[in-house]
Amino acid sequence: MPLYKNKKEDIPLVEFPWIRKLVYLMDEQFRLPGTNFRFGLDPLINLLPVAGDISGFLISGGLVMAMARKGIGSKIVVLMCINIFLDAVIGGIPLIGQVFDFFFKANSRNLRLMKAHYLEGKYQGSGRNTLILALTILTIMFAGLLWALWAMLSWFVHLF
């Protein structure tokens, strides 16, 4: 039975192996030599201005949509979207955002939320209702992210 290895807990996630693997790839794939600090592709992708922020948001949003389809509650979907929003907004700030991306790990936080939801026995089965909520929230957040990135890029271009 595969386990998601985490410092805080080891919980079987047989139902979601691809979600677990993608979260691991995005947040904890690599280890800084000589330390126990782990990071993934998310902070590396976000080193690319605008395109990295958008692609990281889309991957994280896709993970939330996949988790919402599995039947998590609407409260958890909203908390997951807040994690993604913080990751996208603060991660979009030059220099500060890159450092933030190495430590925040929104996808791992969202996976822990989902696992805690299952352990509490609040699993609802089909997540059709929360899927609509997640899609609505993520669409609004994506439009806001695009607007913010466009505004930041145009401000930066006008400096020169």
Side-chain angles (χ1 to χ4, degrees):
M1 180 179 300
L3 295 175
Y4 175 77
K5 295 291 185 188
N6 191 324
K7 292 178 185 174
K8 296 180 182 174
E9 68 260 347
D10 291 334
I11 299 171
L13 278 179
V14 177
E15 305 92 17
F16 317 109
W18 72 271
I19 292 175
R20 179 180 40 85
K21 288 176 186 175
L22 187 56
V23 167
Y24 185 80
L25 176 69
M26 292 300 290
D27 288 345
E28 300 184 21
Q29 179 69 41
F30 309 109
R31 185 176 59 83
L32 196 62
T35 67
N36 287 330
F37 180 74
R38 302 194 71 80
F39 63 96
L41 289 179
D42 188 34
L44 298 177
I45 291 171
N46 287 338
L47 290 173
L48 298 171
V50 182
D53 296 318
I54 291 172
S55 62
F57 179 84
L58 291 175
I59 291 170
S60 296
L63 283 170
V64 169
M65 294 297 293
M67 292 180 207
R69 278 187 53 211
K70 299 294 183 182
I72 59 175
S74 57
K75 177 184 174 187
I76 303 299
V77 168
V78 170
L79 291 173
M80 288 179 172
C81 289
I82 289 171
N83 284 337
I84 293 173
F85 180 74
L86 289 174
D87 186 44
V89 170
I90 298 173
I93 300 170
L95 299 177
I96 295 169
Q98 277 67 34
V99 173
F100 178 79
D101 280 335
F102 277 96
F103 294 100
F104 187 65
K105 301 178 183 181
N107 297 315
S108 292
R109 289 173 183 263
N110 288 345
L111 186 62
R112 282 193 301 271
L113 282 172
M114 185 180 82
K115 290 189 299 186
H117 182 71
Y118 276 88
L119 288 177
E120 291 173 4
K122 295 182 179 177
Y123 175 68
Q124 299 173 354
S126 174
R128 290 188 181 105
N129 295 334
T130 57
L131 191 59
I132 294 169
L133 175 67
L135 186 59
T136 303
I137 292 172
L138 290 172
T139 302
I140 292 168
M141 287 174 39
F142 185 67
L145 177 66
L146 287 177
W147 175 82
L149 290 173
W150 178 259
M152 191 181 332
L153 187 62
S154 64
W155 172 78
F156 186 72
V157 168
H158 283 69
L159 288 177
F160 299 104

